[in-house]
Amino acid sequence: MRCPFCRHADSRVVDSREVDEGQAIRRRRSCSECGRRFTTSETVVLAVVKRSGVTEQFSRDKVVRGVRRACQGRPVDDDALQQLAQRVEESIRAAGVAEIPSHEVGLAILGPLRELDAVAYLRFASVYRSFSSIEDFEKEISDLRKAIADSIEPDDSGKRADDA
Ligand SMILES: [Zn+2]
C-alpha cells in the first residue's frame, strides 16, 4: 500500500485493531520515507463461487438485477429490491462463510422474496430450484398457500360487507 502523501511503497504498522465486532481490521501505518501516518482497513471479501469455479465478489446490485427480472410487471419498487438485497447479504454473512456457491445465493434470495411477492417468488424459485414439472409448481404453490394462510389473521366476519 503506497503512502497517500509521498507515494512511497514501504510503510510500518504502528497499531492494528479489530473493528465492527471483528469483521474488519484497521491498521495505523507510518510511512518509512516521509514519516506521515495513515490508516488502512482490511475486511474479508465475501466471494461467490460460480459454477465454472471462478470467484467474484458478492454484489447486492447483482441480486437486485436478478430479482428485478422475476418482478417484471409486479408491484415491487426499487426500495423493496434494495432492502431484499441487504437482507440476503446479511443472511449470508451471518452464516460466517467467506465463500458461497452462486446457487446458494439464489436460495438465500427465496425466503425474503416469498415475503415480498408470491408471483415473483414462484418465477425465481422455478429457476433456482430447477423445477422440471408441473408437479414441482403445484407443490410449491400449495406450500405457498399454506404459508400465506398462516401469516394472515382471520378477519372479523361481516366486516367486509360493511366496507361497501
Ligand atoms: Zn510518505
Side-chain angles (χ1 to χ4, degrees):
M1 180 82 61
R2 288 186 177 272
C3 167
F5 304 105
C6 72
R7 314 298 301 159
H8 187 69
D10 199 31
S11 64
R12 186 169 60 88
V13 175
V14 291
D15 180 46
S16 69
R17 65 183 58 183
E18 285 191 355
V19 291
D20 293 342
E21 292 164 347
Q23 300 268 43
I25 286 182
R26 214 157 274 169
R27 296 186 205 282
R28 193 96 180 108
R29 291 170 180 274
S30 169
C31 175
S32 44
E33 179 68 22
C34 72
R36 284 157 113 170
R37 295 193 168 187
F38 56 98
T39 303
T40 58
S41 171
E42 187 177 303
T43 55
V44 172
V45 170
L46 182 55
V48 176
V49 186
K50 301 209 280 191
R51 219 164 293 193
S52 61
V54 174
T55 61
E56 61 180 28
Q57 195 168 344
F58 174 85
S59 148
R60 282 190 202 176
D61 286 346
K62 219 164 174 185
V63 171
V64 167
R65 281 200 298 275
V67 174
R68 186 181 282 136
R69 218 175 304 142
C71 289
Q72 267 177 21
R74 303 299 303 164
V76 176
D77 63 17
D78 256 26
D79 275 358
L81 290 177
Q82 293 294 343
Q83 275 173 28
L84 182 141
Q86 189 181 334
R87 285 181 64 188
V88 170
E89 179 172 358
E90 281 165 2
S91 75
I92 293 171
R93 287 194 185 275
V97 292
E99 287 194 348
I100 181 171
S102 56
H103 182 70
E104 283 181 28
V105 177
L107 293 178
I109 290 170
L110 290 172
L113 185 56
R114 191 166 84 171
E115 288 171 27
L116 191 60
D117 188 272
V119 172
Y121 165 80
L122 273 178
R123 289 175 181 160
F124 196 87
S126 70
V127 175
Y128 274 87
R129 290 209 171 128
S130 308
F131 287 5
S132 56
S133 66
I134 288 174
E135 286 72 24
D136 287 339
F137 278 95
E138 281 174 342
K139 187 187 175 304
E140 194 64 52
I141 288 170
S142 101
D143 289 351
L144 196 54
R145 282 222 175 91
K146 245 177 266 164
I148 290 169
D150 288 347
S151 69
I152 293 174
E153 303 270 324
D155 272 353
D156 290 341
S157 58
K159 205 174 176 189
R160 203 166 290 168
D162 293 338
D163 284 344

